Amino acid sequence: MQLLKDKILKEGRVLSETVLKVDSFLNHQIDPLLMKEIGEEFANRYSDDVITKILTIESSGIAPATMLGLFIGAPVVFARKRKSLTLADNLYSSKVHSFTKNETNEISVSRDFLSPDDNVLIIDDFLANGEAVKGLLDIAQQAEANVIGVGIVIEKGFQQGGQLLREQGIRVESLANIKSLANGQVEFFD
């Protein structure tokens, strides 16, 4: 998706050979017009599939997932990272290690919002080692939901997550796949 790649090149900041900062448009401040285009692109890529739920993780996956939900008319369910008084029991839960934050969280989704009748598309902002997606897959599996695939805004293709998921036969659609962040430069796979 060229619009996204251009935005990454213009506003993204390479912090190291493994960290890309895109907080000006994706995971702190959100560019709604870009999110609209991202939602439409995911809708086009999965247009042959019947999707009944979109599953993501708080917080950076919510914006692209919601835009996709608008295009296909499906609800968005997001896994919460912290328990609350209103989300305390009757849950699907999984542990997820964050590469960027170097911490492990237990993510949870109410059993009221996922069922064996659901065809789920997982959406997330980044794919590095695949830990967040693995946690969301685990939750979908606990619900006995059918996972259609995974949509990723930015994949760090030089890390193992995407390859491991694809080797398991999971369809992964990435809108921008980064080959390298070496020498402070973003290089994409063609």
Side-chain angles (χ1 to χ4, degrees):
M1 183 177 172
Q2 195 58 48
L3 179 65
L4 175 61
K5 291 178 182 177
D6 291 344
K7 193 79 160 176
I8 292 168
L9 292 173
K10 182 179 177 186
E11 295 183 30
R13 290 186 31 225
V14 177
L15 300 183
S16 72
E17 291 192 356
T18 59
V19 179
L20 174 66
K21 186 174 183 178
V22 290
D23 64 347
S24 68
F25 61 89
L26 180 61
N27 52 24
H28 191 62
Q29 174 174 272
I30 296 171
D31 180 335
L33 295 176
L34 177 62
M35 289 307 115
K36 177 181 176 281
E37 296 296 323
I38 285 170
E40 186 172 23
E41 182 65 23
F42 282 133
N44 288 336
R45 291 189 185 200
Y46 286 95
S47 63
D48 292 337
D49 297 291
V50 175
I51 298 162
T52 62
K53 295 281 174 70
I54 301 163
L55 180 61
T56 191
I57 190 168
E58 70 175 349
S59 61
S60 300
I62 295 172
T66 300
M67 290 300 170
L68 170 60
L70 281 171
F71 279 101
I72 66 171
V76 175
V77 178
F78 64 91
R80 308 237 353 218
K81 292 180 183 173
R82 289 176 179 78
K83 298 248 189 324
S84 71
L85 291 175
T86 61
L87 188 71
D89 57 3
N90 198 29
L91 305 173
Y92 301 116
S93 295
S94 188
K95 292 202 182 300
V96 171
H97 182 77
S98 168
F99 172 81
T100 309
K101 296 176 185 167
N102 194 27
E103 65 183 25
T104 299
N105 290 299
E106 183 175 38
I107 61 170
S108 301
V109 169
S110 171
R111 290 176 181 260
D112 296 335
F113 301 128
L114 284 179
S115 77
D117 297 329
D118 283 316
N119 291 323
V120 175
L121 178 59
I122 293 171
I123 297 290
D124 205 7
D125 62 337
F126 270 94
L127 175 59
N129 292 320
E131 294 299 313
V133 171
K134 284 187 227 171
L136 293 170
L137 286 166
D138 180 37
I139 285 174
Q141 183 177 16
Q142 290 174 51
E144 298 179 9
N146 177 43
V147 175
I148 300 293
V150 175
I152 299 295
V153 178
I154 302 170
E155 179 177 346
K156 292 192 259 180
F158 57 87
Q159 290 180 276
Q160 65 183 356
Q163 178 184 341
L164 293 173
L165 292 169
R166 289 177 181 100
E167 286 173 357
Q168 293 175 41
I170 297 168
R171 178 180 174 190
V172 179
E173 293 285 340
S174 298
L175 303 187
N177 194 342
I178 297 174
K179 184 175 185 177
S180 172
L181 295 173
N183 304 312
Q185 300 296 313
V186 177
E187 181 184 353
F188 297 102
F189 284 102
D190 293 328

